[in-house]
Amino acid sequence: MLLAAWCLLALSASPAAVTHQAAPQHETRVQENFDFDWRFSRGDIGGAEAPGFADGSWRSLDLPHDWSIEGSYDQENPGFAVSAWLPTGIGWYRKSFDVTPEMLQKDVTILFDGVFMDSTTWINGTKLGTEPYGYMSFHYDLSKYLHPGRNTIAVRVNNLLQPAARWYTGSGIYGHVTLLETPQTHIPLWSTFVRTVSATGDHADIAVSTGVEGGQQTGLSVRFTVIDAAGRSVATQSLPAGRAIPDLEHPVRISIANARLWSPDTPALYTLRTQLMHGKALVDSEDTTFGIRTTAFDPARGFLINGQVLKL
């Protein structure tokens, strides 16, 4: 039963359901790998969120990082066998980075792919928030807290609550970290969705939605372009200025002729290019990779993908 549930989860998280930034990068936004040159120390250290805190004696490392796997095995460790008898506890991460005047004209977001667990994040001594759960990505808007010159991110990770799972969890910032710069008026992170409405023969209909965030909210339009694996535009749809931006409740339907369906044997992918326009000027642009497929459960045939039985 667990195996079947895991397989179904994997299929549900296939490219039709999961969005991410895809190459090429667009001139409207900058995505920076933020994994390098962090400082780390074990233990609960008072005042470590302050920008002027002296962390010169802390260990220098790159992310992703798991401090549990570096520890000593001990049957007295609180995670017991499910944590492989390794230590957990509390740890701190700090990173200082330079901010240019140009960055202050942008919307700047930090994205954590995963931190185990119960992390609290500060920028220049200001608390951004807490994410208790250890198995999800999360992000914070840094824009109004940045200043020209040196800025400091601090992250406290609290993994005292053990045992916390039925498997080894590790401790720390175990995923990648990204710094994303977008225009002040932009397509927000994780706001673009693509879903398959129907796929019959070689024709498919998809429903797409997105969002807009920032100061400039009038005179905007959105253009959606579907691009195949060869880089060819196969469908496009534009919403002229003055119409509402399509959301989950009111998506835009786009038809794709000669559509190639996604399946485990033929994992065909498309790219949805979402462009936010002001007149003829490009304001922001985002690429979302997706696959087209239908899924169903049938009491007689079992689980179907694109009308074909798939054994779980």
Side-chain angles (χ1 to χ4, degrees):
M1 192 69 182
L2 276 176
L3 178 61
W6 184 90
C7 292
L8 181 58
L9 179 62
L11 285 166
S12 299
S14 65
V18 176
T19 64
H20 66 275
Q21 302 304 311
Q25 293 258 351
H26 297 290
E27 64 271 20
T28 62
R29 47 180 59 196
V30 176
Q31 187 168 299
E32 178 186 347
N33 185 333
F34 216 56
D35 285 346
F36 303 104
D37 302 322
W38 287 78
R39 295 280 184 170
F40 170 75
S41 183
R42 284 280 306 277
D44 202 5
I45 303 167
E49 74 279 7
F53 180 84
D55 59 11
S57 63
W58 288 18
R59 177 183 169 191
S60 179
L61 54 75
D62 298 332
L63 304 178
H65 173 243
D66 169 17
W67 79 69
S68 290
I69 200 68
E70 300 170 343
S72 300
Y73 298 97
D74 189 333
Q75 290 188 8
E76 299 302 316
N77 281 326
F80 305 115
V82 292
S83 289
W85 310 108
L86 289 167
T88 52
I90 295 176
W92 278 86
Y93 297 85
R94 288 170 52 89
K95 177 181 170 75
S96 294
F97 61 104
D98 290 324
V99 171
T100 64
E102 290 76 19
M103 287 176 66
L104 298 178
Q105 305 303 313
K106 302 280 189 177
D107 190 274
V108 182
T109 299
I110 188 168
L111 168 65
F112 293 89
D113 278 356
V115 182
F116 203 90
M117 58 178 292
D118 193 13
S119 66
T120 303
T121 304
W122 291 263
I123 176 68
N124 296 327
T126 298
K127 182 179 175 180
L128 295 170
T130 296
E131 177 49 62
Y133 193 53
Y135 294 118
M136 66 183 293
S137 301
F138 57 96
H139 58 87
Y140 298 111
D141 186 355
L142 306 183
S143 307
K144 63 182 179 181
Y145 307 110
L146 299 177
H147 54 73
R150 208 68 171 161
N151 291 249
T152 302
I153 286 275
V155 183
R156 178 183 183 267
V157 182
N158 179 4
N159 195 13
L160 284 174
L161 187 62
Q162 288 290 335
R166 293 170 291 166
W167 49 79
Y168 176 79
T169 64
S171 302
I173 306 179
Y174 67 85
H176 295 291
V177 180
T178 302
L179 202 67
L180 178 64
E181 300 173 36
T182 61
Q184 291 182 353
T185 302
H186 60 276
I187 302 163
L189 197 62
W190 302 340
S191 70
T192 301
F193 292 87
V194 187
R195 64 180 179 88
T196 302
V197 177
S198 62
T200 306
D202 61 357
H203 178 88
D205 286 338
I206 61 172
V208 300
S209 58
T210 192
V212 176
E213 197 171 77
Q216 179 180 299
Q217 297 289 329
T218 59
L220 298 174
S221 61
V222 177
R223 179 166 62 213
F224 297 108
T225 304
V226 178
I227 302 167
D228 67 13
R232 298 171 299 214
S233 173
V234 296
T236 186
Q237 181 89 320
S238 294
L239 277 72
R243 287 187 55 183
I245 301 299
D247 56 25
L248 286 173
E249 297 296 323
H250 307 91
V252 172
R253 183 171 293 198
I254 300 176
S255 295
I256 302 173
N258 303 312
R260 296 189 62 208
L261 302 187
W262 184 96
S263 74
D265 294 328
T266 57
L269 295 177
Y270 289 85
T271 298
L272 175 71
R273 180 156 296 161
T274 305
Q275 294 174 304
L276 186 62
M277 310 293 295
H278 186 259
K280 294 184 178 180
L282 179 65
V283 177
D284 193 18
S285 183
E286 175 192 68
D287 284 356
T288 304
T289 303
F290 70 98
I292 301 170
R293 87 285 188 263
T294 62
T295 58
F297 283 98
D298 183 272
R301 301 178 64 194
F303 177 66
L304 308 177
I305 184 165
N306 301 327
Q308 302 297 314
V309 174
L310 179 67
K311 298 296 184 184
L312 299 181

